[in-house]
Amino acid sequence: MILIQAQKNTENIDGVYKTNGSVFVINKNKTFLIIAYATLIKGTWNIEKDLLYLKPKNPEAKFFVYARKNTDIKTGMRINFAGDGIGNSNIVVGEFPNKMQPLFNDEANCLDYPNVHVFKEKWPVITLLEEKKYENGLEVDIPKLIYNFPTGDYNDFIVQHMQDSLYHHDFILKITKKGLSELNSESGEVIKKSTVKEVFSNEKELEFMNQSFDMAFDTDYKLVNNAYNTNDDMNEKIDLNNYKYNKIKNVYVSLGVPEKQVNYKSKDYHDNAVLMKFDKVTGTTQPQVAVKTLGKPVFVANCDH
């Protein structure tokens, strides 16, 4: 009887639900979006008996690497290390297996932004791993791997680290005769269902959030200015049709800024007159093994010294 009831209600599941400070957007096309404080979760859903399973799209890897050819770099290479909480992680980077070093010192604080380092030598392969000295406390199994990214003809890189808090287990809601309720709710109180128009100022706001998630989690390239504003964190997507390509400098210059006013070295975080395009690099993985690291970290961030 429960299965029959669930099937009857399947057509009416889509909508917007607000509960415990979170907003659940359930779409007819079997996708969903969860919006909470400083959190955006996207994924797909399915029904089993009288339960609605929301399956988040978790990061496909702990590290993503983007690269470009920088004509200003004559020897060596430059890497920008990005990602929330990157200084609190046990990341090891270098040339595997004998030239690996910690990214930050233990108990790093007072991190600068951006975290950019120019290496005197260019490695044929950038190797990254995150050593786990504790359990992450999540119900999600995060593979412990070593990531290898060939540098090829590139010499300028962005390494994006995906922290543990970006991984989520399935969310489960119960389907009742009156609507959806939280799985462990003793009262069985139904979560109020609303429409997109009732919750969001306009549909473009919701479309914007969907776009922001895709730009941060699933993009083939990153556009950044000299201050490394990546324009993928709740910012409007940049259309390169509004830019002209400078082949010599390998940058894109805004058509709306007169050439005499273009500052190619601007460090203004919001200045998008000149953009660098970093393409995604395809890497390989291998099971994580213990590595001997050099004593000196790439960055030292300590307020006490």
Side-chain angles (χ1 to χ4, degrees):
M1 184 64 182
I2 294 177
L3 178 60
I4 295 173
Q5 184 62 46
Q7 290 174 336
K8 285 184 178 179
N9 282 280
T10 300
E11 297 178 358
N12 301 317
I13 283 177
D14 65 291
V16 180
Y17 301 83
K18 298 179 70 174
T19 176
N20 296 327
S22 302
V23 176
F24 290 71
V25 181
I26 312 296
N27 301 311
K28 280 189 176 181
N29 64 358
K30 293 295 184 77
T31 65
F32 73 86
L33 191 68
I34 298 176
I35 304 156
Y37 178 73
T39 302
L40 195 62
I41 304 170
K42 189 175 179 179
T44 58
W45 60 266
N46 69 286
I47 292 174
E48 294 181 18
K49 295 185 177 180
D50 63 337
L51 298 178
L52 174 66
Y53 287 83
L54 305 176
K55 299 182 176 295
K57 179 181 178 180
N58 289 324
E60 296 179 358
K62 288 293 292 184
F63 297 97
F64 294 91
V65 172
Y66 300 84
R68 68 184 287 267
K69 178 66 176 178
N70 189 330
T71 57
D72 292 332
I73 298 176
K74 305 305 179 183
T75 59
M77 64 181 187
R78 181 174 72 174
I79 304 179
N80 170 39
F81 295 91
D84 292 338
I86 194 168
N88 300 323
S89 301
N90 301 300
I91 297 173
V92 179
V93 61
E95 191 174 354
F96 185 82
N98 299 319
K99 294 182 180 180
M100 304 288 292
Q101 62 187 125
L103 183 59
F104 282 94
N105 56 295
D106 291 338
E107 300 181 1
N109 51 33
C110 296
L111 272 64
D112 292 328
Y113 182 90
N115 297 298
V116 181
H117 186 78
V118 178
F119 295 86
K120 294 181 180 179
E121 296 181 6
K122 179 186 168 185
W123 310 324
V125 176
I126 297 174
T127 298
L128 297 145
L129 64 94
E130 184 173 13
E131 295 180 324
K132 288 295 181 184
K133 298 179 181 177
Y134 57 90
E135 294 299 321
N136 58 42
L138 303 175
E139 297 177 25
V140 182
D141 181 25
I142 303 176
K144 297 179 180 178
L145 300 170
I146 292 177
Y147 295 84
N148 302 294
F149 298 92
T151 55
D153 294 330
Y154 301 118
N155 62 356
D156 202 358
F157 303 89
I158 294 175
V159 168
Q160 181 177 355
H161 170 245
M162 311 303 279
Q163 62 181 336
D164 286 355
S165 62
L166 296 174
Y167 293 76
H168 303 277
H169 55 71
D170 291 358
F171 297 85
I172 306 174
L173 298 174
K174 190 171 183 179
I175 303 172
T176 70
K177 293 180 180 180
K178 296 182 179 180
L180 297 180
S181 67
E182 295 185 28
L183 182 63
N184 299 320
S185 173
E186 295 181 0
S187 65
E189 182 179 355
V190 173
I191 303 171
K192 182 182 177 181
K193 180 179 177 180
S194 304
T195 65
V196 172
K197 291 183 178 180
E198 288 174 325
V199 177
F200 298 93
S201 57
N202 56 63
E203 293 189 17
K204 285 188 176 181
E205 181 184 357
L206 184 57
E207 180 183 344
F208 178 67
M209 291 185 180
N210 265 297
Q211 172 184 287
S212 298
F213 182 96
D214 294 339
M215 290 170 68
F217 279 75
D218 188 17
T219 182
D220 292 329
Y221 63 88
K222 286 186 178 293
L223 291 172
V224 309
N225 61 13
N226 283 324
Y228 285 95
N229 180 356
T230 58
N231 297 289
D232 62 5
D233 184 14
M234 303 302 287
N235 284 286
E236 184 177 355
K237 188 174 182 179
I238 291 177
D239 187 354
L240 281 180
N241 289 323
N242 298 322
Y243 287 74
K244 59 183 177 182
Y245 177 63
N246 184 318
K247 186 176 181 180
I248 297 176
K249 293 180 177 293
N250 189 21
V251 295
Y252 291 82
V253 184
S254 174
L255 295 172
V257 181
E259 180 61 33
K260 292 182 179 181
Q261 296 180 18
V262 175
N263 181 359
Y264 286 90
K265 297 183 179 181
S266 172
K267 295 294 185 179
D268 184 345
Y269 186 78
H270 297 289
D271 184 0
N272 287 332
V274 179
L275 298 175
M276 301 175 287
K277 182 172 179 283
F278 287 75
D279 295 313
K280 190 175 183 179
V281 176
T282 301
T284 59
T285 60
Q286 64 191 77
Q288 192 171 126
V289 297
V291 295
K292 185 178 180 180
T293 60
L294 303 175
K296 186 179 179 180
V298 177
F299 299 102
V300 175
N302 195 330
C303 283
D304 300 329
H305 294 84

